């Protein structure tokens, strides 16, 4: 592996403590190899949102006896690319939540830069908090920081669960 | 009233509110997964300060980074600071950002626009 690249993959159960450690490891690495302050901050911010999201949502997942894998298990991958970085996450979600999640990401993807700012401010000022402290701003913030469309895929894995793959491209030149 | 002093941690900022001198300082990172709990005593303190308000209140804010869970709490806190002007204080809000940090500059500008109050945006080198 080249020393000027980042490669981290993780598969297993996540906790907020583990997520914090992953963020610290990546942030340390970025501090030494990424000279652009704004790219470093974008990576830090996107990673924080993605991984905290992952923890919040796997928490809601109940165990499923009908499948032979751990439904609370997640996958995280952070890699350097030619033009920047790639963050990929994967987790199981209840299939009943797929449509709603899809609609939220599609709405974010339908907006341009100005549209994303308006959507962000509309939700920022709505004074609504979820039980877990989320404000519903995560995907919008990720899209604004990345400057690229959010890539996702849902695959049905059992009668009640789907696997949600999420991919964020961070282009250094944007 | 008592001053409010909270030491910085990995995911929460330093808070130093001095009621007698009307000096409030917030500095560091705010990225707890659930920020509501952290900001609750801060917001309560600001509400209490109305009763012992100083003629001049200066708020120095220097965030290095905040997550989306903190964003709504920060807006709530700022709104309460801004509203202090209706309770007999002359309030200034200084929003510090690191040189070249576009995100924190934009965040300060955006909060200032939402709350319809001019913040002093101050570059830190």
């Amino acid at each position: 592996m080249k020393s000027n690249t980042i490669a981290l993959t993780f598969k297993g159960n996540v906790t907020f403590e583990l997520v914090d450690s992953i963020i610290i490891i990546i942030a340390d690495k970025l501090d030494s190899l990424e000279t652009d302050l704004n790219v470093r901050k974008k990576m830090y911010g996107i990673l924080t949102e993605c991984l905290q999201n992952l923890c919040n949502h796997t928490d809601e997942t109940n165990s499923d006896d009908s499948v032979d894998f751990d439904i609370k298990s997640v996958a995280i991958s952070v890699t350097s690319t030619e033009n920047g970085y790639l963050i990929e996450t994967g987790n199981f979600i209840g299939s009943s939540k797929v449509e709603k999640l899809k609609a939220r990401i599609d709405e974010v993807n339908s907006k341009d830069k100005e549209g994303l700012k308006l959507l962000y401010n509309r939700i920022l000022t709505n004074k609504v908090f979820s039980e877990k402290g989320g404000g519903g701003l995560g995907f919008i913030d990720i899209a604004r920081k990345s400057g690229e469309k959010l890539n996702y895929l849902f695959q049905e894995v059992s009668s009640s669960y789907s696997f949600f793959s999420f991919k964020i491209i961070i282009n250094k030149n944007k | 009233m008592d001053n409010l002093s909270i030491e910085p941690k990995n995911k929460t900022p330093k808070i130093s509110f001095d009621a007698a001198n009307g000096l409030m300082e917030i500095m560091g990172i705010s990225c707890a997964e659930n920020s509501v709990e952290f900001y609750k005593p801060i917001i309560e303190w600001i509400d209490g300060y109305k009763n012992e308000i100083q003629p001049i209140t200066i708020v120095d804010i220097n965030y290095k980074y905040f997550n989306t869970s903190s964003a709504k709490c920060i807006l709530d806190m700022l709104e309460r600071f801004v509203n202090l002007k209706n309770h007999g204080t002359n309030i200034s809000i200084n929003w510090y950002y690191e040189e070249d940090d576009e995100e924190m500059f934009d965040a300060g500008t955006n909060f200032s626009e939402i709350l319809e109050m001019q913040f002093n945006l101050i570059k830190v080198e």
Side-chain angles (χ1 to χ4, degrees):
Chain A
M1 195 180 104
K2 281 188 276 177
S3 61
N4 61 342
T5 60
I6 288 184
L8 178 142
T9 46
F10 172 83
K11 259 192 228 175
N13 290 22
V14 278
T15 58
F16 284 112
E17 289 73 25
L18 179 78
V19 159
D20 291 347
S21 307
I22 293 177
I23 293 170
I24 290 169
I25 292 167
I26 303 279
D28 276 356
K29 185 86 182 172
L30 280 169
D31 278 345
S32 63
L33 63 83
E34 179 55 65
T35 50
D36 186 331
L37 170 76
N38 285 300
V39 175
R40 282 204 304 273
K41 289 217 159 187
K42 274 180 191 174
M43 273 293 282
Y44 185 82
I46 293 174
L47 260 179
T48 303
E49 294 301 326
C50 279
L51 302 190
Q52 289 188 346
N53 240 338
L54 212 56
C55 274
N56 272 331
H57 296 295
T58 42
D59 222 37
E60 293 164 357
T61 312
N62 298 313
S63 60
D64 182 355
D65 295 335
S66 69
V67 291
D68 58 358
F69 45 82
D70 183 359
I71 217 89
K72 284 190 189 292
S73 170
V74 305
I76 299 164
S77 158
V78 184
T79 44
S80 309
T81 62
E82 203 179 321
N83 299 317
Y85 303 93
L86 182 65
I87 299 173
E88 292 168 282
T89 64
N91 63 290
F92 296 98
I93 67 159
S95 295
S96 59
K97 293 179 184 159
V98 169
E99 284 311 313
K100 206 176 156 191
L101 189 53
K102 243 186 203 173
R104 279 182 57 196
I105 304 176
D106 287 342
E107 185 186 15
V108 170
N109 278 343
S110 74
K111 308 283 184 194
D112 60 7
K113 200 177 167 189
E114 193 50 35
L116 281 174
K117 185 184 171 180
L118 291 173
L119 183 62
Y120 181 91
N121 280 346
R122 201 179 77 210
I123 297 176
L124 177 67
T125 53
N126 72 5
K127 297 181 193 279
V128 177
F129 287 92
S130 83
E131 229 172 83
K132 289 179 176 157
L137 289 165
F139 287 129
I140 309 168
D141 188 60
I142 292 168
R144 290 182 81 191
K145 287 186 164 96
S146 136
E148 303 274 350
K149 298 294 174 200
L150 308 174
N151 296 283
Y152 68 85
L153 183 69
F154 291 97
Q155 290 161 293
E156 217 164 73
V157 291
S158 78
S159 55
S160 47
Y161 281 95
S162 295
F163 191 73
F164 169 43
S165 315
F166 190 44
K167 186 159 105 179
I168 301 125
I169 298 160
I170 295 105
N171 188 334
K172 277 204 265 194
N173 308 315
K174 267 200 172 176
Chain B
M1 78 186 287
D2 287 339
N3 291 336
L4 181 68
S5 176
I6 304 173
E7 285 304 308
K9 292 199 178 135
N10 280 347
K11 295 199 279 185
T12 51
K14 176 191 172 191
I15 304 291
S16 173
F17 290 179
D18 176 346
N21 292 304
L23 292 173
M24 323 297 169
E25 191 191 16
I26 300 144
M27 194 174 179
I29 283 175
S30 181
C31 65
E33 51 276 3
N34 189 345
S35 297
V36 177
E37 218 172 289
F38 177 78
Y39 282 91
K40 197 170 168 245
I42 297 168
I43 282 160
E44 283 169 359
W45 192 95
I46 300 169
D47 287 343
Y49 174 68
K50 280 179 200 162
N51 305 321
E52 287 175 49
I53 205 152
Q54 298 299 318
I56 294 173
T57 304
I58 295 170
V59 185
D60 286 322
I61 302 174
N62 188 344
Y63 281 113
K64 296 267 176 277
Y65 164 72
F66 61 83
N67 65 354
T68 58
S69 173
S70 302
K72 285 186 178 180
C73 298
I74 294 172
L75 178 64
D76 190 11
M77 174 184 76
L78 290 171
E79 192 173 14
R80 282 162 208 261
F81 275 132
V82 168
N83 288 339
L84 289 176
K85 66 176 189 283
N86 305 323
H87 295 267
T89 190
N90 194 329
I91 186 152
S92 351
I93 298 182
N94 300 318
W95 181 276
Y96 294 87
Y97 63 97
E98 202 179 336
E99 189 177 13
D100 300 329
D101 187 348
E102 293 162 14
E103 243 178 67
M104 282 305 112
F105 173 81
D106 288 346
T109 312
N110 197 42
F111 282 132
S112 157
E113 283 169 8
I114 290 172
L115 296 168
E116 296 174 352
M117 179 180 161
Q118 180 98 39
F119 290 4
N120 303 312
L121 295 161
I122 301 168
K123 193 196 297 178
V124 183
E125 288 180 24

